[in-house]
C-alpha cells in the first residue's frame, strides 16, 4: 500500500497512471545515484519527485519524477524525522597516560 497521507501538496490527477509510466520508464529499478557511481538498481516501487514540496516546487513532469526503492524513498522522505537515527558517540574512555610518560 502506498502511504501518501502526509503530503503537503495533493498528487496530480491520474497519478496512478503517471506513477506506472515512470516505473516502466525506469525499468522498475531504483534510480538513486550511489556514491560509488551508477544507480542503486534495486527493484523500485516508489515514484518520487526529485525536487518537491520540501523545496516549494510542485512539478509533476516526467523529468522531475524518478523511481526509487522503498529504502531510498524512506531515506529521502525520512531525513527530517530521522533524528533518532543518529547514533550516540561511544562513551569517552578514561584518559590513559601516554606510554611515553610511564616510567
Ligand atoms: Zn535504491
Amino acid at each position: 500500500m502506498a502511504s501518501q497521507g502526509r503530503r503537503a501538496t495533493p498528487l496530480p490527477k491520474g497519478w496512478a497512471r503517471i506513477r506506472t509510466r515512470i516505473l516502466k520508464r525506469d525499468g522498475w529499478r531504483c534510480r538513486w545515484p550511489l556514491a560509488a557511481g551508477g544507480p542503486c538498481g534495486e527493484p523500485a516501487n516508489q515514484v518520487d519527485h526529485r525536487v518537491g514540496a520540501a523545496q516549494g516546487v510542485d512539478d509533476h513532469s516526467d523529468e522531475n519524477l524518478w523511481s526509487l526503492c522503498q529504502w531510498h524513498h524512506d531515506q529521502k522522505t525520512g531525513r527530517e524525522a530521522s533524528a533518532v537515527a543518529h547514533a550516540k558517540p561511544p562513551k569517552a574512555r578514561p584518559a590513559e597516560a601516554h606510554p611515553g610518560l610511564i616510567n
Side-chain angles (χ1 to χ4, degrees):
M1 283 294 283
S3 56
Q4 294 162 352
R6 287 179 297 157
R7 291 188 61 86
T9 53
L11 289 164
K13 274 186 180 173
W15 172 251
R17 248 175 299 166
I18 296 170
R19 182 178 169 279
T20 304
R21 191 173 74 234
I22 299 301
L23 285 166
K24 277 185 182 168
R25 182 198 67 186
D26 293 341
W28 300 83
R29 296 285 167 180
C30 177
R31 301 296 304 157
W32 189 268
L34 299 177
C40 165
E42 288 293 310
N45 63 355
Q46 305 287 322
V47 172
D48 181 60
H49 295 75
R50 291 172 187 262
V51 181
Q55 290 82 24
V57 176
D58 202 20
D59 179 1
H60 305 300
S61 65
D62 286 17
E63 292 74 37
N64 192 43
L65 296 169
W66 62 351
S67 305
L68 293 180
C69 66
Q70 183 73 58
W71 193 86
H72 274 121
H73 189 251
D74 287 350
Q75 290 293 305
K76 186 165 185 267
T77 60
R79 220 170 258 169
E80 304 85 28
S82 66
V84 287
H86 286 280
K88 279 184 181 168
K91 266 188 180 174
R93 288 163 53 200
E96 288 174 48
H98 189 278
L101 298 175
I102 299 171
N103 54 30

